[in-house]
Amino acid sequence: MKKSHIVTLLVCFLLIPATLFLGTKLSGRSYYITITLVLLELMIPLFMAFEGRKPQARELVIIAVLSAMAIAGRVAIPIPDFKAIFAIIMLSGIAFGPETGFMVGAISAFASNFFYSQGFYTPWQMFSYGLGGMLAGFLFGKGRLPQNRWLMAIFGFVTVVVLIGPIMDSMTFFLGFAKLTWANLALVFGPGFAHNCLNGGCTAAVMLIFGKPFLGILNRVQVKYGMLDLE
């Protein structure tokens, strides 16, 4: 496994979760400190991916463009809990690697909240959205899994329902409950399940209909310009 992949896993599963946990101990508007730390931490894997060569401006531009598309996938669709942002994040990871998927997910979560409002939930969104893009990059990159539209749709639905959504829901335990009980679990994850299924359904639909054409465009850009070959 490449060094940048190892660093990505360490940042995602150790460094950022520790930052989120410590952030729950702070009060007031200190969540901005947590957001800043997470932003700095998520840049580490990308810097490692660029180790040994200078990144081209167009490589950074494509990350910005994909992030903007993901933001539009959340903001432009007026239906609550039915957003295309997760599909675009995952497709970014599939096309350009887990580091890019991680970065696009976290940036789009942070930036799109300027349309909704920043809050204590923002770092958790950055982490969970980035995690979805990272896993897509690891699983579907370099032919590890076939980029079949049905398989990608199933992956998108399951990832949103059992990973991204529950991570966001679990934030409540650190902020609103003194102890973990079955009653509290049902109170938090029960209502959240329906919302996660709606977002998962939208993700699956986008993957199914637009996944292959979108990947085709991104792959042609990558081959033509030799961009973001981070694997």
Side-chain angles (χ1 to χ4, degrees):
M1 183 179 290
K2 290 183 62 175
K3 186 189 298 185
S4 62
H5 289 0
I6 297 174
V7 172
T8 300
L9 292 172
L10 291 175
V11 169
C12 190
F13 291 110
L14 290 179
L15 189 57
I16 291 181
T19 302
L20 294 178
F21 177 75
L22 293 175
T24 62
K25 305 301 181 182
L26 304 176
S27 59
R29 301 176 68 85
S30 56
Y31 56 80
Y32 282 113
I33 299 175
T34 309
I35 292 172
T36 303
L37 290 174
V38 172
L39 281 170
L40 293 173
E41 290 162 0
L42 68 89
M43 294 173 67
I44 297 174
L46 197 67
F47 289 148
M48 293 297 298
F50 285 130
E51 184 183 19
R53 69 182 181 88
K54 293 181 179 180
Q56 302 177 66
R58 59 193 178 197
E59 292 178 313
L60 302 180
V61 167
I62 196 67
I63 294 177
V65 170
L66 290 170
S67 299
M69 293 180 66
I71 294 167
R74 183 184 182 195
V75 175
I77 299 178
I79 306 174
D81 299 314
F82 195 80
K83 308 295 184 179
I85 182 172
F86 303 114
I88 298 173
I89 291 169
M90 293 174 191
L91 291 169
S92 300
I94 294 172
F96 295 128
E99 294 88 358
T100 301
F102 191 26
M103 178 70 82
V104 170
I107 289 176
S108 60
F110 171 64
S112 62
N113 275 350
F114 284 104
F115 293 90
Y116 294 99
S117 73
Q118 304 290 348
F120 60 86
Y121 45 81
T122 299
W124 294 79
Q125 288 175 315
M126 294 166 65
F127 171 62
S128 59
Y129 290 19
L131 182 59
M134 184 199 72
L135 289 179
F138 272 122
L139 292 177
F140 290 92
K142 291 296 184 181
R144 296 183 186 97
L145 287 177
Q147 295 178 7
N148 175 277
R149 61 175 185 162
W150 286 100
L151 186 59
M152 291 191 298
I154 293 171
F155 168 81
F157 179 83
V158 172
T159 300
V160 172
V161 173
V162 306
L163 186 66
I164 296 177
I167 287 176
M168 285 297 302
D169 296 336
S170 67
M171 166 188 62
T172 308
F173 288 115
F174 295 95
L175 299 171
F177 292 96
K179 61 179 180 179
L180 181 65
T181 65
W182 288 111
N184 289 341
L185 283 171
L187 185 63
V188 171
F189 290 109
F193 180 73
H195 299 289
N196 296 335
C197 285
L198 283 174
N199 269 321
C202 181
T203 303
V206 174
M207 288 284 206
L208 192 63
I209 300 171
F210 302 107
K212 291 293 288 185
F214 190 68
L215 283 177
I217 295 172
L218 295 181
N219 289 335
R220 285 194 294 273
V221 170
Q222 184 181 32
V223 170
K224 182 175 181 179
Y225 297 105
M227 298 167 57
L228 291 165
D229 189 13
L230 304 182
E231 290 277 4

